[in-house]
Amino acid sequence: MDDRQIVELFFARSEEALRETDAKYGRLCFRIAQNILSRDADAEECVNDAYLCLWNAIPPQKPEDLAAYVSKIVRNVSLKRLRFNSAMKRNIQAEVSLSELESILPDSMAESEVDDRQLGKLISAFLWREPESSRNVFISKYFFFDSVREIAERYSYSESKVKSMLFHTRRRLQNYLLKEGYEL
Amino acid sequence: MNHTTMTDAVGMIDDRLISGAIIYQGSGKKPGKVKWGALAACLCLAVIGAVTIWGRGSQSVGCAAEPTNPAAVFQVSISKNDSVSDGQASTVIPLVSAMDGVCLTADGEMADGEISKAITVFVAPDDTQVHKDESMSREEAEALAYLDLDSAADEMKDRILEARRILIFSTSWVADGFSGSVQNVKTGEIIRTLPTFSELFPGWDIPVLPDTKDQITTDGLGADCVYGLSVKITLVNETNLIGVSQEPMNMFDTDREITIYLPEDTTAGDLGLKTGDTVFVSYYGSGCSLSESSIKAYEIEKTD
C-alpha cells in the first residue's frame, strides 16, 4: 500500500492505517528507537507511543512524506524517553552522538535566539549542499543514530571512511553555522 | 541553547533529506578484509635504523640498501612523496615470515631536543587478534576516539587519548607525506594500499615512540609490561615458513631469546637486521602494545 492510501486510512479513522504503517515502517521505527535507547522494551514502547502520536496527528496533519514524518515522531519520542531515563539505562552510543552534535554548535549561535526550527532549516540548507554520500552518512548517524558499523555495512564503506566523513561534515557544518550565526 | 537543541534541530531537517537517506544505497565498494593466514604469532616486529626519513629536519632519505629477499612472500613498500627525492626515496620491508604486523620508525627530533622515533608506517595485525586485553573495548574506543579533545573535560581527555591510541595501533596506515602498500612479492599483487594517518585520524597527533636506547626498565603500565628487553634473536632456516614465532613470552623475562623462522637461505641482512638494532615487540594478549615494549637485539645468530 502506498503512503497516500495509508494517510487516507488515517483520515478515515481506520485502525488499518496503523497496521499498514507498522507493516511498512515498523522495522524502520524500531531501528531508530533502538539506536537511541538501550533496551528493546523501551524501543517498542516508543514505537507504540509514536503510532499513537501519528494517530492523533493525522488528521489534521496530512504528511506528504510519511516515512520522514513517522521517523521524526519516533525520533522525538525516543529522545524524550532517553532524557527521561535514568543514567543506568542510557545508551552510550546515542550519548556520544548527542555529544558530537553538541560540539558542532558555535558559541555565538548558542547565545543567539535562533530556535530549533530555524536551526533545522540552516542544517537542511547545509546538507543539501553536501555531496550525497556525506549527507546521507551524516543523516544516518545523527538523525537515525545508526552506529558507524551499521552505516559502513549499509553503504559498503570502511568504518574509517565513515568516521572521517562524519568528522569532516561536522567541521564543515560548524563553519557553516558559524558564518550563518554571525549573520543572524 | 544546549546540545538537546542541536539534536532537536537535526530532527527538523527537510523530510526529503530523511527519505533520501532511507533509500540511499551508497556507492562504496565493499572493503576487503585481508587475512594473513595462520598468524598465531603475537609478535609485531619493526626494524629500526633501516631508514632515516625524518632525520633532524634534513631531506635526506636513506634506505638505499633495501633488503631484498627473494624468499619473501609479502613486503611493505613505502616511499616519500617528495619532489626533491624524485621518487627514489623508498624502502621495502620484506615480510619473510609472513609477519602480521610491521612498524617502521625513523629518528626525529622533538621540541626539547630529545630524539624520538616517529612512526612512518604501521601495518596492523589481524584486527580480531588485537586489544583483547585493552583498557576498553574497540567499540568503546571508536565511540570515544573521535570526540573533540579540546572541549572535553580533563578526565575525559585521558580516555579519548587512550581510545585514539588503541585505534591507531590496530589500524594500518602510513605517515602523511608517504605512500605505502602491502604487496605479494610472488604475484606482484598489491594487497592493500595504506591510507595516510590523517585520512584515518584527521586532526590527531601521529604517535612518537620514546627512544629507549639500551634502557631496560620496568616502568609503568602495571606489572605486566617492561620497556626494554634484551634479546638474542636467532634466525632459523625453515623452508616453509609459518611466521614469527615464539613461546609464550613472560614479560618479566630479560635476556629473552626470540626465534624467528625464515625461509631457507635467508640471512639476517635480508631482514635488515644487524646486531645492535632496536626491535620493537608487541605482545598482544599481555596488555602491552607496541610503544611499550621495545627490545635491543644484542646478538643475531643464524643456525642451520
Short mmCIF file of all heavy atoms in Angstrom, two decimals, chain B residues 39-89:
data_model
loop_
_atom_site.label_atom_id
_atom_site.label_comp_id
_atom_site.label_asym_id
_atom_site.label_seq_id
_atom_site.Cartn_x
_atom_site.Cartn_y
_atom_site.Cartn_z
N LEU B 39 48.23 -16.65 11.39
CA LEU B 39 49.18 -15.76 12.04
C LEU B 39 48.96 -15.79 13.53
O LEU B 39 48.48 -14.83 14.12
CB LEU B 39 49.03 -14.35 11.48
CG LEU B 39 49.25 -14.27 9.97
CD1 LEU B 39 48.99 -12.86 9.49
CD2 LEU B 39 50.63 -14.72 9.60
N ALA B 40 49.29 -16.90 14.07
CA ALA B 40 49.12 -17.02 15.50
C ALA B 40 50.14 -16.18 16.23
O ALA B 40 50.00 -15.89 17.40
CB ALA B 40 49.27 -18.47 15.92
N ALA B 41 51.13 -15.79 15.49
CA ALA B 41 52.18 -15.02 16.14
C ALA B 41 51.64 -13.74 16.73
O ALA B 41 50.86 -13.05 16.11
CB ALA B 41 53.27 -14.69 15.14
N CYS B 42 52.06 -13.47 17.89
CA CYS B 42 51.62 -12.24 18.54
C CYS B 42 52.73 -11.21 18.50
O CYS B 42 52.81 -10.33 19.34
CB CYS B 42 51.23 -12.53 19.98
SG CYS B 42 49.83 -13.61 20.10
N LEU B 43 53.60 -11.37 17.56
CA LEU B 43 54.78 -10.54 17.53
C LEU B 43 54.68 -9.50 16.44
O LEU B 43 54.37 -9.80 15.31
CB LEU B 43 55.98 -11.43 17.29
CG LEU B 43 57.34 -10.84 17.55
CD1 LEU B 43 57.50 -10.52 19.02
CD2 LEU B 43 58.41 -11.82 17.12
N CYS B 44 54.88 -8.31 16.80
CA CYS B 44 54.94 -7.26 15.79
C CYS B 44 56.34 -6.71 15.84
O CYS B 44 56.77 -6.19 16.84
CB CYS B 44 53.92 -6.17 16.12
SG CYS B 44 54.01 -4.80 15.00
N LEU B 45 57.03 -6.86 14.76
CA LEU B 45 58.46 -6.57 14.80
C LEU B 45 58.78 -5.44 13.86
O LEU B 45 58.31 -5.40 12.74
CB LEU B 45 59.19 -7.85 14.38
CG LEU B 45 60.71 -7.86 14.50
CD1 LEU B 45 61.16 -9.27 14.82
CD2 LEU B 45 61.34 -7.40 13.22
N ALA B 46 59.56 -4.57 14.33
CA ALA B 46 59.92 -3.45 13.47
C ALA B 46 61.42 -3.29 13.46
O ALA B 46 62.08 -3.48 14.46
CB ALA B 46 59.29 -2.18 13.98
N VAL B 47 61.89 -2.95 12.32
CA VAL B 47 63.32 -2.75 12.18
C VAL B 47 63.61 -1.26 12.25
O VAL B 47 63.09 -0.50 11.46
CB VAL B 47 63.80 -3.30 10.84
CG1 VAL B 47 65.30 -3.18 10.73
CG2 VAL B 47 63.36 -4.75 10.69
N ILE B 48 64.39 -0.91 13.19
CA ILE B 48 64.72 0.50 13.37
C ILE B 48 66.08 0.74 12.74
O ILE B 48 66.99 -0.06 12.86
CB ILE B 48 64.80 0.85 14.85
CG1 ILE B 48 63.53 0.44 15.56
CG2 ILE B 48 65.09 2.32 15.04
CD1 ILE B 48 62.32 1.10 15.05
N GLY B 49 66.23 1.82 12.10
CA GLY B 49 67.52 2.17 11.56
C GLY B 49 67.69 1.78 10.11
O GLY B 49 68.67 2.13 9.48
N ALA B 50 66.75 1.07 9.59
CA ALA B 50 66.84 0.71 8.18
C ALA B 50 66.62 1.94 7.31
O ALA B 50 67.10 2.02 6.20
CB ALA B 50 65.81 -0.35 7.84
N VAL B 51 65.87 2.87 7.84
CA VAL B 51 65.64 4.10 7.09
C VAL B 51 65.87 5.29 7.98
O VAL B 51 65.77 5.21 9.18
CB VAL B 51 64.20 4.18 6.55
CG1 VAL B 51 63.98 3.13 5.50
CG2 VAL B 51 63.21 4.05 7.66
N THR B 52 66.22 6.36 7.38
CA THR B 52 66.32 7.62 8.11
C THR B 52 65.57 8.64 7.29
O THR B 52 66.12 9.24 6.38
CB THR B 52 67.77 8.06 8.28
OG1 THR B 52 68.47 6.96 8.86
CG2 THR B 52 67.86 9.25 9.18
N ILE B 53 64.33 8.77 7.59
CA ILE B 53 63.49 9.59 6.74
C ILE B 53 63.23 10.95 7.34
O ILE B 53 63.24 11.96 6.66
CB ILE B 53 62.18 8.86 6.44
CG1 ILE B 53 62.52 7.60 5.64
CG2 ILE B 53 61.23 9.73 5.66
CD1 ILE B 53 61.38 6.68 5.44
N TRP B 54 63.01 10.96 8.64
CA TRP B 54 62.77 12.25 9.29
C TRP B 54 64.02 12.66 10.06
O TRP B 54 63.97 12.95 11.24
CB TRP B 54 61.58 12.13 10.25
CG TRP B 54 60.31 12.09 9.53
CD1 TRP B 54 60.06 12.57 8.29
CD2 TRP B 54 59.09 11.51 9.99
NE1 TRP B 54 58.77 12.34 7.95
CE2 TRP B 54 58.15 11.69 8.97
CE3 TRP B 54 58.71 10.87 11.15
CZ2 TRP B 54 56.85 11.24 9.08
CZ3 TRP B 54 57.41 10.43 11.26
CH2 TRP B 54 56.50 10.62 10.24
N GLY B 55 65.07 12.64 9.39
CA GLY B 55 66.32 12.87 10.11
C GLY B 55 66.60 14.32 10.37
O GLY B 55 67.05 15.04 9.51
N ARG B 56 66.33 14.75 11.54
CA ARG B 56 66.73 16.08 12.03
C ARG B 56 66.49 17.18 11.01
O ARG B 56 67.34 18.01 10.74
CB ARG B 56 68.20 16.05 12.44
CG ARG B 56 68.44 15.22 13.67
CD ARG B 56 69.91 15.16 13.99
NE ARG B 56 70.14 14.36 15.19
CZ ARG B 56 70.13 14.84 16.42
NH1 ARG B 56 69.89 16.09 16.63
NH2 ARG B 56 70.32 14.06 17.45
N GLY B 57 65.37 17.12 10.43
CA GLY B 57 64.97 18.21 9.55
C GLY B 57 65.58 18.16 8.16
O GLY B 57 65.31 18.99 7.32
N SER B 58 66.41 17.20 7.93
CA SER B 58 67.01 17.14 6.60
C SER B 58 66.07 16.45 5.63
O SER B 58 65.11 15.81 6.02
CB SER B 58 68.32 16.36 6.66
OG SER B 58 68.04 14.99 6.78
N GLN B 59 66.36 16.61 4.38
CA GLN B 59 65.55 15.96 3.37
C GLN B 59 66.11 14.61 2.99
O GLN B 59 65.61 13.94 2.11
CB GLN B 59 65.48 16.84 2.11
CG GLN B 59 64.73 18.13 2.32
CD GLN B 59 63.27 17.91 2.61
OE1 GLN B 59 62.64 17.06 2.02
NE2 GLN B 59 62.73 18.68 3.56
N SER B 60 67.20 14.27 3.63
CA SER B 60 67.86 13.03 3.21
C SER B 60 66.98 11.82 3.52
O SER B 60 66.32 11.76 4.53
CB SER B 60 69.19 12.89 3.96
OG SER B 60 68.94 12.72 5.32
N VAL B 61 66.98 10.95 2.62
CA VAL B 61 66.25 9.73 2.81
C VAL B 61 67.20 8.59 2.55
O VAL B 61 67.79 8.49 1.48
CB VAL B 61 65.06 9.64 1.84
CG1 VAL B 61 64.34 8.33 2.03
CG2 VAL B 61 64.13 10.80 2.09
N GLY B 62 67.34 7.80 3.53
CA GLY B 62 68.29 6.71 3.41
C GLY B 62 67.69 5.52 2.72
O GLY B 62 66.96 5.64 1.75
N CYS B 63 67.97 4.40 3.25
CA CYS B 63 67.43 3.13 2.80
C CYS B 63 67.76 2.82 1.35
O CYS B 63 66.97 2.26 0.62
CB CYS B 63 65.94 3.01 3.03
SG CYS B 63 64.95 4.30 2.31
N ALA B 64 68.94 3.22 0.94
CA ALA B 64 69.34 2.84 -0.41
C ALA B 64 69.54 1.34 -0.50
O ALA B 64 69.35 0.73 -1.54
CB ALA B 64 70.63 3.55 -0.79
N ALA B 65 69.96 0.79 0.61
CA ALA B 65 70.22 -0.65 0.59
C ALA B 65 69.03 -1.40 1.16
O ALA B 65 69.07 -1.96 2.23
CB ALA B 65 71.47 -0.96 1.39
N GLU B 66 67.95 -1.36 0.41
CA GLU B 66 66.78 -2.06 0.89
C GLU B 66 67.07 -3.55 0.93
O GLU B 66 67.70 -4.09 0.03
CB GLU B 66 65.59 -1.84 -0.03
CG GLU B 66 65.12 -0.43 -0.11
CD GLU B 66 65.79 0.29 -1.25
OE1 GLU B 66 66.50 -0.37 -2.01
OE2 GLU B 66 65.63 1.51 -1.33
N PRO B 67 66.59 -4.17 1.96
CA PRO B 67 66.76 -5.61 1.99
C PRO B 67 65.91 -6.25 0.90
O PRO B 67 64.74 -5.92 0.74
CB PRO B 67 66.24 -6.00 3.38
CG PRO B 67 65.37 -4.88 3.80
CD PRO B 67 65.89 -3.66 3.12
N THR B 68 66.51 -7.05 0.12
CA THR B 68 65.75 -7.74 -0.92
C THR B 68 65.87 -9.22 -0.67
O THR B 68 66.94 -9.80 -0.81
CB THR B 68 66.29 -7.41 -2.30
OG1 THR B 68 67.69 -7.68 -2.31
CG2 THR B 68 66.06 -5.95 -2.65
N ASN B 69 64.82 -9.79 -0.32
CA ASN B 69 64.82 -11.20 0.00
C ASN B 69 63.99 -11.95 -1.03
O ASN B 69 62.78 -11.80 -1.07
CB ASN B 69 64.24 -11.41 1.40
CG ASN B 69 64.37 -12.84 1.83
OD1 ASN B 69 64.54 -13.73 1.01
ND2 ASN B 69 64.29 -13.06 3.12
N PRO B 70 64.61 -12.75 -1.84
CA PRO B 70 63.86 -13.44 -2.88
C PRO B 70 62.86 -14.42 -2.31
O PRO B 70 61.93 -14.83 -3.00
CB PRO B 70 64.95 -14.18 -3.66
CG PRO B 70 66.11 -14.28 -2.73
CD PRO B 70 66.05 -13.08 -1.86
N ALA B 71 63.05 -14.79 -1.05
CA ALA B 71 62.13 -15.76 -0.49
C ALA B 71 60.94 -15.11 0.18
O ALA B 71 60.03 -15.76 0.64
CB ALA B 71 62.87 -16.63 0.54
N ALA B 72 60.96 -13.79 0.25
CA ALA B 72 59.87 -13.10 0.94
C ALA B 72 58.55 -13.30 0.21
O ALA B 72 58.49 -13.36 -1.01
CB ALA B 72 60.17 -11.61 1.01
N VAL B 73 57.53 -13.45 0.97
CA VAL B 73 56.20 -13.65 0.39
C VAL B 73 55.49 -12.31 0.25
O VAL B 73 54.91 -12.01 -0.77
CB VAL B 73 55.38 -14.61 1.28
CG1 VAL B 73 53.98 -14.78 0.70
CG2 VAL B 73 56.08 -15.96 1.38
N PHE B 74 55.55 -11.55 1.31
CA PHE B 74 54.92 -10.24 1.29
C PHE B 74 55.97 -9.16 1.54
O PHE B 74 57.06 -9.45 2.05
CB PHE B 74 53.86 -10.13 2.39
CG PHE B 74 52.79 -11.17 2.28
CD1 PHE B 74 52.73 -12.22 3.17
CD2 PHE B 74 51.84 -11.10 1.28
CE1 PHE B 74 51.75 -13.18 3.08
CE2 PHE B 74 50.85 -12.05 1.18
CZ PHE B 74 50.80 -13.10 2.08
N GLN B 75 55.64 -7.99 1.19
CA GLN B 75 56.51 -6.89 1.56
C GLN B 75 55.68 -5.62 1.74
O GLN B 75 54.61 -5.46 1.15
CB GLN B 75 57.59 -6.66 0.51
CG GLN B 75 57.06 -6.18 -0.83
CD GLN B 75 58.19 -6.01 -1.85
OE1 GLN B 75 59.23 -6.66 -1.75
NE2 GLN B 75 57.98 -5.13 -2.81
N VAL B 76 56.19 -4.78 2.58
CA VAL B 76 55.59 -3.46 2.74
C VAL B 76 56.50 -2.47 2.04
O VAL B 76 57.70 -2.45 2.31
CB VAL B 76 55.45 -3.09 4.23
CG1 VAL B 76 54.89 -1.69 4.37
CG2 VAL B 76 54.57 -4.08 4.95
N SER B 77 55.97 -1.72 1.14
CA SER B 77 56.76 -0.72 0.43
C SER B 77 56.30 0.66 0.84
O SER B 77 55.09 0.93 0.88
CB SER B 77 56.58 -0.85 -1.09
OG SER B 77 56.81 -2.17 -1.50
N ILE B 78 57.24 1.51 1.14
CA ILE B 78 56.85 2.90 1.40
C ILE B 78 57.78 3.82 0.62
O ILE B 78 58.93 3.49 0.36
CB ILE B 78 56.89 3.28 2.89
CG1 ILE B 78 58.30 3.15 3.45
CG2 ILE B 78 55.92 2.47 3.69
CD1 ILE B 78 58.46 3.84 4.79
N SER B 79 57.26 4.92 0.24
CA SER B 79 58.07 5.92 -0.43
C SER B 79 57.62 7.30 0.01
O SER B 79 56.46 7.49 0.41
CB SER B 79 57.95 5.78 -1.95
OG SER B 79 56.61 5.92 -2.34
N LYS B 80 58.54 8.22 -0.05
CA LYS B 80 58.21 9.57 0.38
C LYS B 80 57.69 10.37 -0.80
O LYS B 80 58.28 10.34 -1.88
CB LYS B 80 59.46 10.24 0.96
CG LYS B 80 59.14 11.53 1.69
CD LYS B 80 60.36 12.06 2.43
CE LYS B 80 59.96 13.26 3.27
NZ LYS B 80 61.11 13.88 3.92
N ASN B 81 56.60 11.04 -0.58
CA ASN B 81 56.02 11.88 -1.63
C ASN B 81 56.75 13.21 -1.64
O ASN B 81 56.31 14.18 -1.05
CB ASN B 81 54.54 12.11 -1.39
CG ASN B 81 53.80 10.81 -1.25
OD1 ASN B 81 54.18 9.80 -1.82
ND2 ASN B 81 52.73 10.83 -0.46
N ASP B 82 57.85 13.25 -2.29
CA ASP B 82 58.71 14.41 -2.19
C ASP B 82 59.37 14.63 -3.54
O ASP B 82 60.11 13.79 -4.04
CB ASP B 82 59.78 14.14 -1.11
CG ASP B 82 60.66 15.34 -0.89
OD1 ASP B 82 60.60 16.27 -1.70
OD2 ASP B 82 61.42 15.32 0.08
N SER B 83 59.12 15.77 -4.12
CA SER B 83 59.67 16.03 -5.45
C SER B 83 61.19 16.09 -5.42
O SER B 83 61.87 15.77 -6.39
CB SER B 83 59.10 17.34 -6.00
OG SER B 83 59.40 18.40 -5.11
N VAL B 84 61.73 16.51 -4.27
CA VAL B 84 63.19 16.61 -4.17
C VAL B 84 63.83 15.24 -4.33
O VAL B 84 64.84 15.06 -5.00
CB VAL B 84 63.59 17.23 -2.80
CG1 VAL B 84 65.10 17.22 -2.64
CG2 VAL B 84 63.04 18.62 -2.69
N SER B 85 63.17 14.26 -3.74
CA SER B 85 63.76 12.93 -3.80
C SER B 85 63.44 12.22 -5.10
O SER B 85 63.94 11.14 -5.36
CB SER B 85 63.26 12.10 -2.63
OG SER B 85 61.86 12.05 -2.64
N ASP B 86 62.60 12.85 -5.91
CA ASP B 86 62.33 12.35 -7.24
C ASP B 86 61.88 10.90 -7.24
O ASP B 86 62.26 10.09 -8.09
CB ASP B 86 63.60 12.50 -8.10
CG ASP B 86 63.25 12.42 -9.58
OD1 ASP B 86 62.09 12.70 -9.92
OD2 ASP B 86 64.14 12.07 -10.37
N GLY B 87 61.11 10.57 -6.26
CA GLY B 87 60.53 9.24 -6.23
C GLY B 87 61.50 8.14 -5.85
O GLY B 87 61.18 6.97 -5.85
N GLN B 88 62.74 8.52 -5.56
CA GLN B 88 63.73 7.49 -5.23
C GLN B 88 63.71 7.15 -3.74
O GLN B 88 64.35 6.20 -3.32
CB GLN B 88 65.13 7.96 -5.62
CG GLN B 88 65.27 8.24 -7.11
CD GLN B 88 64.95 7.03 -7.95
OE1 GLN B 88 65.48 5.95 -7.72
NE2 GLN B 88 64.06 7.19 -8.92
N ALA B 89 63.05 7.97 -2.98
CA ALA B 89 63.08 7.76 -1.55
C ALA B 89 62.07 6.70 -1.15
O ALA B 89 60.92 6.97 -0.92
CB ALA B 89 62.75 9.07 -0.84
#
